[in-house]
């Protein structure tokens, strides 16, 4: 169960607002755990359980990325408004606005790629990186997703392809076939946890960002991210890194392998009973693994200095 927030609100981001929530004390002697959610176009809700790390004396920061949840919605923004750079700037702005001098990033799914891109820029305040259930390359991931789709029960992928070709991905038949994939490779719990359902409902209520950057589903990526990769930036990550995947994850071992191969200081934990949401599917082991990683990081400096992150807005 998540703890009550000690602070929440919005910070200005240019003419927009970014919603945030803090659990614990940002002046604590341990670097803050800043949680970067997936999507793009999802919300913090499905990761809210991570607020429990505040019980261990570590402040936890959640936020909703621009376009969804409690942050400014822009349903009429042009497609070229939604860029990786926009969300990197938003993260940098949040760190500055909350005066977070030292921090660990935990990025889940798309948030893992965003966090890796941020880390590759070597911000001075970053002390560790957790990449959970994130491919390193969309082109590589799409090849792997095709393999997973081919293993679905007879007729399911044919139904998906038929609606994708026809542009009828909003149909009930497509959604039912999509759920077959999701129940295997996104979350294997029955029923889905309430917070996960809440995040998916947020995407449904305003799909602007998700459909523009990703597409109509997790496995049919036809948006602006379809050619994006962080592989060439991974050697620039200099902080200790924890890589997390699930045995049944839509992020297959091959699509996560570049992190293992190219990040200088990385360790990889595979959750045998999980798909894309080990923090929900194996919560106790997830907590233990992340807690051990956080405990092993260097202590906070005695004279912290502000994080120097790229910020252009």
């Amino acid at each position: 169960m998540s703890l009550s927030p000690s602070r929440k609100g919005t910070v200005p981001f240019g003419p927009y607002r970014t919603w945030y929530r803090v659990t614990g004390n940002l002046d604590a002697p341990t670097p803050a755990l800043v949680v970067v959610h997936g999507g793009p176009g999802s919300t913090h809700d499905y990761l809210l359980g991570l607020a429990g790390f505040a019980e261990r004396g570590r402040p936890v920061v959640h936020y909703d990325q621009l376009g969804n949840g409690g942050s400014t919605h822009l349903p009429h923004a042009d497609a070229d408004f939604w860029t990786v750079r926009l969300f990197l700037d938003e993260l940098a702005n949040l760190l500055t606005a909350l005066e977070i001098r030292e921090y660990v990033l935990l990025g889940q799914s798309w948030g893992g790629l965003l966090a890796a891109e941020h880390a590759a820029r070597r911000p001075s305040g970053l002390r560790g990186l957790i990449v959970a259930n994130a491919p390193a390359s969309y082109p590589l991931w799409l090849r792997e997703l095709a393999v997973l789709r081919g293993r679905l029960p007879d007729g399911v992928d044919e139904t998906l392809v038929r609606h994708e070709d026809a542009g009828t991905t909003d149909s009930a038949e497509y959604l039912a076939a999509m759920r077959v994939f999701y129940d295997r490779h996104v979350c294997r719990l029955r029923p889905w946890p309430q917070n996960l359902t809440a995040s998916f409902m947020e995407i449904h209520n305003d799909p602007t960002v998700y459909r523009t950057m990703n597409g109509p589903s997790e496995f049919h990526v036809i948006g602006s991210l379809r050619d994006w990769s962080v592989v060439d930036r991974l050697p620039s990550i200099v902080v200790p890194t924890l890589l997390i995947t699930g045995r049944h994850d839509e992020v297959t071992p091959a699509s996560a392998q570049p992190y293992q191969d190219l990040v200088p200081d990385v360790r990889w934990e595979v959750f045998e009973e999980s798909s894309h949401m080990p923090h929900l599917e194996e919560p106790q082991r997830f907590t233990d693994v992340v807690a051990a990683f956080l405990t092993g990081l260097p202590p906070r400096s005695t004279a912290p200095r502000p994080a120097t992150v790229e910020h252009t807005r």
Side-chain angles (χ1 to χ4, degrees):
M1 182 176 295
S2 62
L3 298 175
S4 298
S6 53
R7 175 183 171 189
K8 64 180 180 178
T10 64
V11 298
F13 174 46
Y16 315 117
R17 308 290 299 188
T18 299
W19 181 93
Y20 72 91
R21 162 195 166 117
V22 177
T23 311
N25 182 3
L26 287 177
D27 292 326
T30 52
L33 178 64
V34 179
V35 181
V36 186
H37 66 69
S42 185
T43 60
H44 77 285
D45 300 81
Y46 76 103
L47 293 163
L48 197 51
L50 300 181
F53 282 100
E55 293 182 321
R56 300 168 180 256
R58 184 175 296 274
V60 180
V61 178
H62 289 84
Y63 73 104
D64 286 337
Q65 294 163 23
L66 191 67
N68 285 85
S71 296
T72 303
H73 288 234
L74 296 158
H76 304 298
D78 293 338
D80 59 6
F81 174 82
W82 303 106
T83 64
V84 173
R85 180 59 178 269
L86 173 75
F87 291 106
L88 287 170
D89 286 350
E90 182 184 34
L91 174 57
N93 180 76
L94 180 73
L95 295 169
T96 300
L98 296 182
E99 298 181 341
I100 297 174
R101 294 176 174 82
E102 297 192 5
Y103 59 102
V104 177
L105 280 186
L106 188 156
Q108 201 277 337
S109 196
W110 133 267
L113 288 99
L114 191 67
E117 184 78 66
H118 176 94
R121 300 177 180 215
R122 301 186 179 183
S124 65
L126 185 65
R127 295 292 172 261
L129 174 66
I130 302 170
V131 176
N133 316 99
S137 158
Y138 274 83
L140 175 58
W141 189 34
L142 285 169
R143 292 196 293 272
E144 290 294 296
L145 287 169
V147 174
L148 295 181
R149 288 178 57 152
R151 295 173 182 168
L152 294 174
D154 288 347
V156 174
D157 194 41
E158 289 81 355
T159 298
L160 294 171
V161 170
R162 174 161 45 84
H163 285 288
E164 288 163 359
D165 289 346
T168 52
T169 54
D170 286 332
S171 70
E173 188 179 36
Y174 184 83
L175 296 176
M178 182 177 75
R179 186 62 188 254
V180 175
F181 180 96
Y182 281 33
D183 285 345
R184 285 188 172 201
H185 300 298
V186 176
C187 183
R188 292 160 61 87
L189 298 176
R190 305 291 182 277
W192 277 9
Q194 183 177 355
N195 284 342
L196 178 59
T197 300
S199 281
F200 271 91
M201 286 305 299
E202 291 278 4
I203 296 175
H204 174 77
N205 291 337
D206 187 348
T208 305
V209 184
Y210 188 79
R211 292 194 174 183
T212 300
M213 297 186 74
N214 190 83
S217 69
E218 289 291 283
F219 47 78
H220 188 49
V221 183
I222 56 175
S224 58
L225 290 178
R226 63 188 178 274
D227 297 319
W228 186 43
S229 171
V230 297
V231 170
D232 64 341
R233 266 87 76 206
L234 297 181
S236 297
I237 296 174
V238 295
V239 295
T241 299
L242 173 63
L243 174 63
I244 291 172
T245 58
R247 179 62 63 195
H248 309 282
D249 206 332
E250 63 178 353
V251 176
T252 65
S255 55
Q257 188 66 43
Y259 293 106
Q260 177 70 23
D261 293 342
L262 299 173
V263 177
D265 182 3
V266 63
R267 87 172 206 241
W268 190 350
E269 291 283 347
V270 178
F271 286 71
E272 296 294 335
E273 304 301 322
S274 295
S275 56
H276 197 54
M277 306 282 171
H279 63 284
L280 298 175
E281 296 166 285
E282 295 181 70
Q284 187 57 59
R285 180 164 180 248
F286 185 90
T287 297
D288 292 344
V289 167
V290 171
F293 173 76
L294 294 173
T295 300
L297 295 175
R300 184 169 179 167
S301 62
T302 55
R305 51 180 177 158
T308 55
V309 289
E310 186 170 352
H311 174 54
T312 61
R313 298 189 71 85

